[in-house]
Amino acid sequence: SRPDGRGSQHRLASHPAASHRSPAMARVEQLASELPRQVTAFYAGDELYAGNWLTEFQRDASAWEVCIMALRPGPLKDCDGELLQEFCAQTLGRLSRSFAARHALPTQKAERDKLAELLLIHALNGGQRIVWKQLALSLTCADLWMGAWKPPTRGGMDELPQAVRRELITLPVDLLFCDRALPLDEGSLRQAAAASLLDACDVAFEELLQVDDAEHVNLHHLATWLSALRKALHLLPTREEAAPLKALLRLDDRLVALIRSRPSQAAEIALQLARWHGVGCDAVLEPMLSPLLDCIFANISSEDAASLLPLLSTLASGLWPRAAMGDCSLDWRSVGETACAVLRITTNAWRKACETPSYEDEGERESTLADAEAALGIWQTFATTVRDGTREADPFADENIDTDVARPEKRSRVRQQAQWCPGKDRVAASEVLPQLFAALSQALLELLHLQDTPIDVDDARAMFDLRAAAEAALADWESLVWQSQAWHEAAYGPLQEACLHFSSTAEELRTETEFRGLEVALWFAAACARGQPEEASAVGQPAALAILHLQEALDEVYEPWRTWLWHSASALASTAPAEHCQEMIEWMMTRSAWQTFAPEMLAITELPYAEGLERLCRLLPEGAAHVALGERLVMMAFAQQDLGVHSDAIRAKSLLLQAVRHAMGGATQLLCTGLSQRVLPALRTAVEQEAEAAMAEAEPSWHSAQVLFATLVAALPPDGEPTTDVSHPSAALWKEHWCYVEAALLRWRVSSSTDQPAAAAAQALERMVAALPGLAPEALSLVARSAGQSESPVVQLDTLRAIVSGTRCPPCDATRAAELLAEAVAAAVQPLTVHQSIAQQPELLCALFQLLGEVVRPSPPGVTGVGPCSDQLRPRMLARSALMGSCLAMVPPTLPMSTSVPTTSAILGFLANFMGGDEFQPQERQLVAMALPELVAAVCAALTSTEHLADLDSGLAVAADVLANAAGAMPDEFPGALAAGLQRQQQLSSRLADRFRAHLSSRASYPKVGDWLRELQDIVGEMQRENRKVAH
């Protein structure tokens, strides 16, 4: 072949004479003669037959050589020739991903050189872009598999066009760390590739910082390189982390010039630089980053604000807090001003989207609201970083990366990153933090006010959602600055000004501007008061008292503003300390949420109002019964039956009933008598009517039933004061209404969407057993019977699990409690072991194994009495050999097929707990020995095929516990079971299986379990990559 591409006739070169042809050469010639016809037929429309032929061709061992032959003549100019060469180049690109497996080591260099020659031919002679791009991909794959990648230089391959050189430079970072990552299965190959990137970064930077960037992509590629270099350093912890930054700093003038000509692309570069937190990097990083940020922040537009969110969030997690504390030369004020500007832009964009409410704009409203919440999250990230310090960042976790990405082989050698924590004394003495808080406060007061005419419930709900994000940020900020005078001025100064202005303005002169300003000031003061530390409560007069000076003015306000002003004022009142709780309760009781201009607004106001009242009632003096207050609360809870029913209405009534309990203090008899005589008769009637109507309804609501069960819960003894006295007044009340609990769990029609009334009855039983353990036998029997009747008893299983974990011994007798619980759990679980479709119900499967994992949970090593029922429940469950055998038999068919993270974790959690604890009894050991091979094989299959098990937090750590506990409990049987289980994973190479087995046996040699787990994560990742490679 000739690099100049001459003689590019549309045919494939022939082989030597037939008498000298080997079978392999004959196969090549046969495919070479047929391939052009099949490619032409495929593009002519014969996608079925020709498509199948071409697919089989790519799997043929001779495909590589045939494609090389087709590309050797150089660019073909006719249509059929172009299509042929395009297909052959794509085939080489695909086959090169497994270059090392396809070509034996002695032949690899020769095959790699063929690719380089083809690239020269097609790049220098006007070849198709797709052809030379695929050849560049093939060549890069070959170099990476050989551990010999180098960037194209201005020397030997200087004749390559700039676009081809750029392609050769940008491909390695994609093939190592992005969505096209190569499955390099040797740690040495990954490290060699990482080293080649680090060695080549100066050449890459030189190429990517060319001024003649006609396609405007070089800055993007530079950002990708910077990201890849951080990952490469993670693989090679002995390399100097600042070296790539130093190489870039030498070209700083070019970088700044290019960014000034492309300011819209600067944020991507700054983002990658801001993520560089290594030791010794500051001196190199800050001179480059500061001018970039100046350029970015000087050109903020409404279109660019959302794109700055990742950059500002990254700065808030490291460099910006350090600068604010004087430990970094970055301009903290400029970053703060930009963060405020982005908050303003994103919030105003959301407001603008809300002004045109139409179906088409729904996505725009959701998107802009998410941006505004993210802008608030930046300030929260800043506060948590100052409070907790910086954390070691995983460079593989900051972007969306395919699971085939090669991660470090051994994390015990991860480099130490620069950790920073200013300490409480420095934070308290800071003069900068109060300034930033004041800027944030001013922005929130300006932006988070209600609309001019707040009558749209959806817009109001969205605003309160945004305020909830702001409150989370404020709570973290207040822990930093509450001791400063500036904080008190920023938190409560606006309220004082608004109160003074509002009170001094005549009623007829007050406008919506005053209403809006006072409402947002009340909300802001309430948010600050809720989030402030307890120490701050003792400083100065409580902010809640401000509403006492405003009450007449607030009562004179017209709707809709009165609803919102009362709502925010009630939120502030609920923050009052104990010494003022009674007057605040009285203030709120006379201005309830139900006195609104529109019942639909209760979806926003009712629950916060009930939460505030319940909080204040908790502060009432102990030992005294506030009977009059209790009666008023009961009337309030049940007087609003016909007002707008919404998703939080039952929860609000439940809180009001809890407030009744607090108000009655220790007068349980009085409380139960009052409920029995004045509340429950009407409720029973309503529930009976509801039950009759439910027979004809597709989705009955069961509101009255839920309120009935909430009322029974309110009659229970106070939390933390259980009693075994079955003659307790609340026990008598429960017995009187037991028929309703039974009906809800056994007879009444259950809503498929809400699980009511069974869910409310089951949750009430859970609370009842904790407070009145003397009634546990009846409750447990009822829940077990209900589970046996239900097709999907998720609610019942979750209730049993909550009762198991909540049983306290004492006051309960551990032996008796264990017997009762074991009997109930067995009755509930047994039908599910033969459930035909449970494998297709992940939620039910999850609930079942979560319950099983809890009942066999042992005490931690070296501790006794911490397991359920003081370690009495586990042996009683294990003694039920038939049941445990059936539960273990459910694992092999369900675990490898599970795609649900909670379900997988529940199954593994059960196995880990089952295999943990003390030694098995002989009968139990025999059961485990029989089940062990299938269980271990199931775990191995899941690790190999279940993608989320490559993540430590999504089940891998629990799977490691399963294998470690099994090895400890069955030391003689486990090695054989593991070998057999790995052998059944036919897609695994023996090398990788041996590595997995050896690593499991080496756990004790690791000083830190975390290091062992991280290396296990690497091995499991390779197992999954190998499995996918075989599957494809």
Side-chain angles (χ1 to χ4, degrees), residues 849-964:
F849 279 103
Q850 284 179 335
L851 172 60
L852 291 171
E854 180 62 22
V855 297
V856 300
R857 175 172 57 85
S859 292
V863 181
T864 59
V866 181
C869 300
S870 299
D871 292 339
Q872 296 294 309
L873 181 56
R874 173 182 165 86
R876 282 168 174 76
M877 292 303 302
L878 294 182
R880 297 173 180 266
S881 301
L883 177 64
M884 288 294 99
S886 298
C887 293
L888 291 173
M890 295 177 68
V891 173
T894 56
L895 177 60
M897 304 302 294
S898 173
T899 58
S900 163
V901 174
T903 302
T904 303
S905 298
I907 298 173
L908 292 171
F910 161 64
L911 290 179
N913 286 347
F914 185 91
M915 296 293 180
D918 298 330
E919 292 186 3
F920 292 117
Q921 298 299 317
Q923 186 178 2
E924 299 163 2
R925 176 173 288 278
Q926 182 179 4
L927 170 68
V928 176
M930 292 176 58
L932 191 63
E934 292 297 322
L935 294 175
V936 173
V939 174
C940 292
L943 290 174
T944 303
S945 61
T946 306
E947 186 173 316
H948 61 254
L949 283 181
D951 186 350
L952 287 171
D953 296 330
S954 298
L956 178 54
V958 188
D961 288 339
V962 172
L963 297 173

Side-chain angles (χ1 to χ4, degrees), residues 308-522:
L308 293 181
L309 291 171
L311 170 60
L312 290 170
S313 181
T314 300
L315 290 171
S317 66
L319 290 172
W320 182 23
R322 291 171 55 204
M325 296 303 297
D327 297 331
C328 170
S329 63
L330 207 67
D331 186 350
W332 60 265
R333 193 185 305 275
S334 174
V335 180
E337 290 172 352
T338 303
C340 280
V342 169
L343 176 59
R344 287 188 171 89
I345 291 171
T346 53
T347 305
N348 288 330
W350 167 73
R351 285 187 174 279
K352 183 177 180 181
C354 291
E355 290 174 0
T356 54
S358 65
Y359 179 79
E360 292 77 9
D361 293 329
E362 185 64 31
E364 178 72 12
R365 289 198 297 273
E366 292 179 0
S367 174
T368 52
L369 179 60
D371 287 343
E373 290 175 339
L376 286 167
I378 290 167
W379 289 90
Q380 185 173 12
T381 299
F382 177 97
T384 55
T385 303
V386 173
R387 184 190 64 206
D388 303 332
T390 57
R391 300 176 181 178
E392 181 177 335
D394 182 355
F396 293 86
D398 54 25
E399 294 159 8
N400 295 324
I401 300 171
D402 188 85
T403 51
D404 282 343
V405 170
R407 298 177 70 92
E409 182 164 348
K410 189 164 184 177
R411 300 293 183 83
S412 59
R413 297 171 57 239
V414 169
R415 66 179 62 251
Q416 292 297 313
Q417 297 207 352
Q419 300 299 298
W420 172 85
C421 188
K424 292 183 179 179
D425 292 341
R426 288 187 62 198
V427 169
S430 172
E431 297 180 358
V432 171
L433 296 179
Q435 296 180 51
L436 288 171
F437 180 76
L440 172 62
S441 302
Q442 182 179 357
L444 294 179
L445 288 164
E446 291 175 7
L447 296 169
L448 300 190
H449 57 78
L450 294 174
Q451 290 81 356
D452 291 341
T453 306
I455 58 174
D456 185 274
V457 66
D458 291 331
D459 288 349
R461 187 190 299 277
M463 174 54 74
F464 281 99
D465 288 342
L466 195 56
R467 285 182 174 183
E471 289 171 17
L474 287 172
D476 287 321
W477 267 93
E478 287 162 15
S479 65
L480 304 178
V481 298
W482 68 269
Q483 293 176 313
S484 69
Q485 182 64 29
W487 176 76
H488 288 274
E489 294 174 356
Y492 303 125
L495 176 61
Q496 295 171 356
E497 293 178 9
C499 289
L500 181 62
H501 178 72
F502 198 81
S503 301
S504 61
T505 303
E507 179 183 354
E508 62 275 9
L509 297 179
R510 294 171 186 157
T511 66
E512 291 193 347
T513 302
E514 278 79 18
F515 298 154
R516 190 170 60 239
L518 178 59
E519 190 280 331
V520 74
L522 286 166

Side-chain angles (χ1 to χ4, degrees), residues 12 177 184 241 268 344 375 586 608 658 728 743 804 807 823 925 933 955 992 994:
L12 305 188
F177 300 119
L184 300 178
E241 189 157 7
E268 197 174 2
R344 287 188 171 89
E586 180 62 30
Q658 294 299 314
H728 191 276
V804 169
T807 299
E823 189 68 31
R925 176 173 288 278
L992 197 51
D994 290 343

Side-chain angles (χ1 to χ4, degrees), residues 65 130 139 153 180 184 195 222 243 281 375 454 622 654 817 856 891 923:
E65 186 60 32
I130 189 172
L139 177 60
T153 63
R180 294 186 291 173
L184 300 178
L222 177 59
C281 292
E622 297 181 1
S654 177
V856 300
V891 173
Q923 186 178 2

Side-chain angles (χ1 to χ4, degrees), residues 619-641:
L619 301 178
L620 288 168
E622 297 181 1
H626 303 270
V627 180
L629 174 60
E631 291 178 347
R632 292 173 66 191
L633 287 168
V634 168
M635 291 179 61
M636 178 178 287
F638 294 101
Q640 313 296 335
Q641 295 291 335

